[in-house]
Amino acid sequence: MPNEIIHANEPGSIVVDDVTMTFNIAKEQFNSLKEYFIALTRHELKFKPFHALKNVSFTIEPGESVGLVGTNGSGKSTMLKIIAGVLSPSEGRVEVNGNIAPLIELGAGFDRELTARENIYLNGALLGYRKEFIDENFDRIVEFAELQNFMDMPLKNYSSGMVARIAFSIATITEPDLLIVDEALSVGDKFFREKCERRINELVNSKNVTVLFVSHSVDQVKRVCDRCIWIEKGDLRMDGPAKEVADAYANMKR
Amino acid sequence: MSQNTATELAPKKIKDGDAWYPTSQRDMFVVRQLVTKDFKLKYRRSVLGIAWSVLNPLLMMLVQAAVFTRLMVRSDTSIPNFPIYLILGNTAWSLMSDATRQGMESIIHAQSLLKKVRINRWVFPVQKVLFAVVNYTFSLAAVAVVMAAFGWTLSPWALLLPLGVLYLTIFCIGLSLLLSSLAVFFRDVIHLWGVVLTAWMYLTPLFYSVSILPDWMASIMRFNPMYLYITFIRRILLWKMAPGLLVHGGCIGFALLMLGIGYAVFRKTEDRFILFI
């Protein structure tokens, strides 16, 4: 489609148009003014450009469930962060429409000194939930996480699995327009992992939620997603039906 | 809806209007949550709790009054009440130093969040300033205690206090925006600011009067924004007079100037924060 600009007009749609992400890796890391100015005056500020993503384009329609695969360091997480809006691309255009529930590093937005109850409100606010909505759905969140008896305990006493339970529960208590799952399901016990996968499947099957799913488990991608995008060393290698792409990725010759 | 097994919590489709704030309204709830969080954490597991916000300025004032009263009352007889003079200056100064110290590090401390959630980054420095303002309001109780102890009355000019605090708040927001972005790129700024604050404190007539300064120093004092904000507050509460056009204009001018600089620097650099935190 030459010269035709596609926009993400409907909630849940994503347009990634010719995105390049370049990190300038400084040969040295400057953390102090002194070092920086010394290097600056000696003309020793050298940067090595590193392309985490190279001219990647794809469009995701509302309700699609898309798996993102690739070897470590291929740019999957960079792509997710760009879509989640925390990183802006060096070149190209990204449009994301709708409310995003990011399940990236579960529990990253929590304060370990606060109780679970207080964290649910804090995290809900960060996701953009209304206060009244959290009030009404508080019990459902706690129930899904199965942590009814631990609500007034500071989070520092929680295990990482318990934290993950709460984070997952908050983010999926309602249907976001876009759910981003970044290997989140690797924490937590077997039962909760299965429960999370069931919940994600529910959201996928509702067709109201666009799901973007990063996993190293090819089987999981095949189970959850309809479509799969394979990013390898910053290049878009393959984009198509989940089974086809996931199998191609699994059979890749190193 | 059955509540027996958790998976039966059917996906209840709640449309945007119900579950989510529109993007433009989210920041306020986040700021409120963060201020509440700071407040709870500050006094958690402390016996006196919030009373510290009142006790702290009182104790500080007592020490300074004990040390400096004889010195000051002799050199400047125009100060109507030295303890009130002290506590008004100290509390306003603490507002600025707390706000900027915490605002400066706010982006660095929010790194895990900034890497995960799309959120307007200015929320963090602004939230720290507002937290300092909340503390300032509590320390006004200490001011009230001292005023009551001396049977001090208020004139209608006292009604201008919220305005003065507003100017100071805007000034602090600008300064915090500036410092928080600089601190992301150069951690030295954090140490440097500690030194600057100490020097600035001695250069601001908190426990002395501007009249004891040599003429040249007294004349450049009008370019010290903190002197202007403190003078504004002292004039309306202590001298029971109008803040004066020059002081009033200076307060507004420095607030807008600082906000402009802070905002410009912050906006220009914020996209690169994530690469450095």
Side-chain angles (χ1 to χ4, degrees):
Chain A
M1 290 163 276
N3 301 327
E4 192 188 331
I5 296 175
I6 318 162
H7 290 288
N9 291 325
E10 282 173 77
S13 54
I14 304 170
V15 173
V16 174
D17 184 11
D18 202 19
V19 163
T20 296
M21 188 70 212
T22 311
F23 293 107
N24 282 320
I25 303 182
K27 292 248 167 92
E28 297 165 73
Q29 177 87 42
F30 298 108
N31 267 330
S32 83
L33 275 174
K34 194 180 91 186
E35 290 171 29
Y36 179 81
F37 280 116
I38 290 174
L40 195 68
T41 49
R42 287 185 183 165
H43 304 285
E44 279 177 0
L45 274 182
K46 296 195 184 87
F47 292 105
K48 193 175 85 193
F50 167 73
H51 300 285
L53 292 170
K54 287 171 256 178
N55 305 94
V56 175
S57 300
F58 56 83
T59 310
I60 296 176
E61 301 294 331
E64 273 193 288
S65 54
V66 181
L68 213 53
V69 294
T71 47
N72 286 337
S74 285
K76 299 183 304 277
S77 293
T78 307
M79 193 72 247
L80 281 195
K81 283 181 176 169
I82 291 175
I83 291 173
V86 296
L87 206 58
S88 7
S90 321
E91 288 164 51
R93 180 176 61 96
V94 173
E95 278 183 35
V96 180
N97 194 321
N99 293 303
I100 306 177
L103 291 174
I104 306 174
E105 292 173 48
L106 282 181
F110 286 164
D111 193 300
R112 297 176 52 74
E113 296 291 326
L114 291 177
T115 65
R117 182 185 305 279
E118 290 160 341
N119 266 306
I120 288 177
Y121 277 89
L122 180 62
N123 210 256
L126 293 167
L127 288 175
Y129 289 164
R130 285 175 188 276
K131 183 170 181 303
E132 307 81 60
F133 173 76
I134 307 175
D135 290 338
E136 280 169 27
N137 291 279
F138 188 85
D139 293 338
R140 291 177 62 224
I141 295 172
V142 177
E143 193 164 344
F144 187 85
E146 299 170 33
L147 293 169
Q148 288 90 332
N149 299 327
F150 303 95
M151 274 303 111
D152 294 305
M153 191 163 98
L155 221 62
K156 59 183 171 191
N157 300 337
Y158 272 53
S159 70
S160 59
M162 291 162 90
V163 172
R165 279 170 178 247
I166 299 186
F168 185 90
S169 184
I170 301 171
T172 60
I173 199 64
T174 177
E175 291 184 355
D177 295 312
L178 172 60
L179 180 69
I180 297 180
V181 188
D182 184 8
E183 297 165 60
L185 305 186
S186 49
V187 282
D189 56 41
K190 173 168 167 277
F191 305 102
F192 194 69
R193 281 211 303 275
E194 287 168 6
K195 189 170 170 181
C196 290
E197 199 176 312
R198 278 202 301 278
R199 180 76 181 116
I200 290 174
N201 269 321
E202 278 173 2
L203 294 173
V204 168
N205 294 333
S206 74
K207 294 294 170 200
N208 292 321
V209 183
T210 309
V211 177
L212 205 56
F213 190 78
V214 170
S215 175
H216 283 295
S217 156
V218 172
D219 292 330
Q220 206 177 28
V221 170
K222 281 196 273 188
R223 273 203 307 275
V224 175
C225 308
D226 320 323
R227 177 180 161 192
C228 183
I229 293 174
W230 175 12
I231 296 178
E232 194 60 41
K233 304 276 174 291
D235 291 309
L236 185 81
R237 180 75 73 87
M238 212 174 161
D239 179 358
K243 195 176 168 333
E244 223 172 274
V245 180
D247 286 339
Y249 169 67
N251 298 326
M252 174 179 54
K253 294 210 171 56
R254 303 245 176 172
Chain B
M1 185 190 309
S2 161
Q3 300 264 317
N4 296 333
T5 58
T7 36
E8 281 174 34
L9 295 171
K12 195 163 85 183
K13 186 64 187 172
I14 301 161
K15 255 296 128 189
D16 302 11
D18 300 324
W20 279 278
Y21 286 111
T23 325
S24 54
Q25 292 172 28
R26 286 181 187 182
D27 299 326
M28 277 333 290
F29 184 36
V30 174
V31 167
R32 235 180 31 232
Q33 281 294 321
L34 289 172
V35 172
T36 316
K37 174 193 99 172
D38 280 352
F39 198 75
K40 280 180 180 158
L41 290 183
K42 181 166 183 179
Y43 296 117
R44 184 155 287 175
R45 263 185 275 286
S46 118
V47 180
L48 291 178
I50 196 158
W52 279 115
S53 287
V54 181
L55 278 176
N56 202 326
L58 269 183
L59 294 173
M60 197 63 192
M61 183 277 287
L62 282 177
V63 174
Q64 290 188 348
V67 177
F68 295 116
T69 298
R70 200 177 292 172
L71 189 76
M72 278 323 302
V73 172
R74 228 178 262 162
S75 62
D76 188 346
T77 47
S78 69
I79 296 175
N81 182 307
F82 191 56
I84 298 179
Y85 180 90
L86 281 174
I87 201 165
L88 287 176
N90 286 341
T91 47
W93 177 265
S94 306
L95 166 56
M96 189 281 289
S97 74
D98 290 352
T100 53
R101 242 192 271 259
Q102 298 203 32
M104 175 170 61
E105 297 189 70
S106 60
I107 296 287
I108 296 171
H109 287 162
Q111 49 179 300
S112 65
L113 266 181
L114 290 171
K115 286 177 184 168
K116 184 195 169 206
V117 193
R118 172 163 56 177
I119 183 168
N120 286 322
R121 302 173 184 96
W122 57 260
V123 159
F124 297 97
V126 168
Q127 172 258 322
K128 290 295 180 193
V129 175
L130 293 183
F131 177 54
V133 174
V134 171
N135 273 317
Y136 176 76
T137 358
F138 283 104
S139 69
L140 285 179
V143 175
V145 169
V146 178
M147 286 182 163
F150 288 101
W152 203 253
T153 55
L154 290 176
S155 77
W157 288 113
L159 293 173
L160 285 182
L161 182 64
L163 204 56
V165 176
L166 177 71
Y167 300 148
L168 180 54
T169 306
I170 295 172
F171 177 77
C172 291
I173 288 176
L175 203 50
S176 295
L177 286 173
L178 175 68
L179 289 168
S180 63
S181 27
L182 292 180
V184 168
F185 299 105
F186 301 104
R187 303 293 198 268
D188 307 49
V189 173
I190 297 168
H191 305 286
L192 193 62
W193 188 243
V195 179
V196 170
L197 273 181
T198 312
W200 191 2
M201 187 188 82
Y202 287 113
L203 286 171
T204 305
L206 293 179
F207 51 83
Y208 58 87
S209 148
V210 76
S211 64
I212 67 161
L213 293 175
D215 286 347
W216 67 273
M217 274 191 91
S219 64
I220 56 167
M221 200 49 90
R222 79 183 79 143
F223 300 108
N224 175 354
M226 283 317 289
Y227 170 68
L228 296 178
Y229 293 116
I230 289 170
T231 305
F232 186 105
I233 293 170
R234 280 176 180 160
R235 281 193 181 163
I236 57 174
L237 294 179
L238 182 62
W239 276 281
K240 305 180 189 179
M241 60 188 276
L245 264 185
L246 261 179
V247 168
H248 206 144
C251 288
I252 297 175
F254 273 113
L256 295 181
L257 180 72
M258 207 60 240
L259 186 66
I261 295 173
Y263 182 78
V265 172
F266 195 85
R267 282 307 296 266
K268 208 167 152 50
T269 54
E270 64 172 342
D271 282 342
R272 287 185 290 133
F273 285 175
I274 190 166
L275 306 174
F276 290 82
I277 50 179

